[in-house]
Amino acid sequence: MRLTGLPAHRVIGSGTILDTARFRVLLGQHLRIDPRSIHAYVLGEHGDSEVLSWSSAQVGARDLTSYAQDSGVPITEAVRARIDDGVRRAAYRIIDGKGATYYGIGAGLARLVTAIGGDERSVHSVSVMTSDVEGIKDVPLSLPRILGKTGVIGDVAPEISADEHATLGASAKLLKDTLEAVRV
């Protein structure tokens, strides 16, 4: 934005699209259902301070926790820890195995370009400059956002728990501090 003068809704970062995809895949494996039927997002930073939004996750139109319990595959603390680790550590495992993660991000960026070019108005966890997140002003971070031909059309911020609000605030603060350290 500083370099181009473009408005915030037109300067879009890939954000947590890969983390969100990994979260859904790991949930799908645990639940034994197609990850495309899971609506769950990773918020904030693409990195160590990212927030897996467990409290707003859904399977179809059902709450994740109640669906999992009713299906005989509850989301225990051990399951959460395993999935959390799987999401956060995936890039390191891919780099160890292939040397880089460019295939995943390439596919993710192609998906975003398709959404924008086709004016899909579809929801993706991308990063744009956000006026206020948990009291942190003007910070670029990921939230579920609607993408169309003009860029980000709107936000679809999930309802999250108090703990997730606090963790998202910490992620926003980390990103804000990093942004302020970069001089352009």
Side-chain angles (χ1 to χ4, degrees), residues 1 5-13 127-131 150-152:
M1 286 175 49
L6 290 170
H9 70 278
R10 299 279 311 273
V11 181
I12 304 166
S127 177
V128 296
M129 185 65 76
T130 308
S131 61
T150 60
V152 171

Side-chain angles (χ1 to χ4, degrees), residues 9-138:
H9 70 278
R10 299 279 311 273
V11 181
I12 304 166
S14 60
T16 59
I17 58 171
L18 293 180
D19 309 285
T20 291
R22 290 176 185 128
F23 188 25
R24 292 174 181 179
V25 164
L26 292 172
L27 283 170
Q29 289 171 349
H30 176 74
L31 299 169
R32 299 184 299 268
I33 62 171
D34 188 327
R36 292 174 295 186
S37 298
I38 298 171
H39 309 287
Y41 294 91
V42 177
L43 315 174
E45 175 201 20
H46 166 65
D48 292 337
S49 76
E50 66 192 12
V51 180
L52 280 67
S53 181
W54 289 95
S55 64
S56 66
Q58 292 187 298
V59 176
R62 290 219 31 218
D63 167 79
L64 170 70
T65 304
S66 64
Y67 175 84
Q69 188 69 37
D70 292 350
S71 299
V73 286
I75 305 290
T76 64
E77 286 305 314
V79 169
R80 281 184 185 233
R82 180 178 47 78
I83 290 173
D84 186 274
D85 183 65
V87 171
R88 292 178 195 279
R89 307 283 313 155
Y92 301 113
R93 283 191 292 280
I94 292 166
I95 290 168
D96 285 345
K98 289 197 250 180
T101 61
Y102 42 77
Y103 293 114
I105 194 59
L109 293 175
R111 179 67 190 101
L112 297 179
V113 168
T114 299
I116 294 167
D119 195 25
E120 288 182 5
R121 302 175 79 82
S122 52
V123 178
H124 305 271
S125 55
V126 294
S127 177
V128 296
M129 185 65 76
T130 308
S131 61
D132 187 319
V133 175
E134 305 298 330
I136 308 297
K137 307 289 186 205
D138 301 321

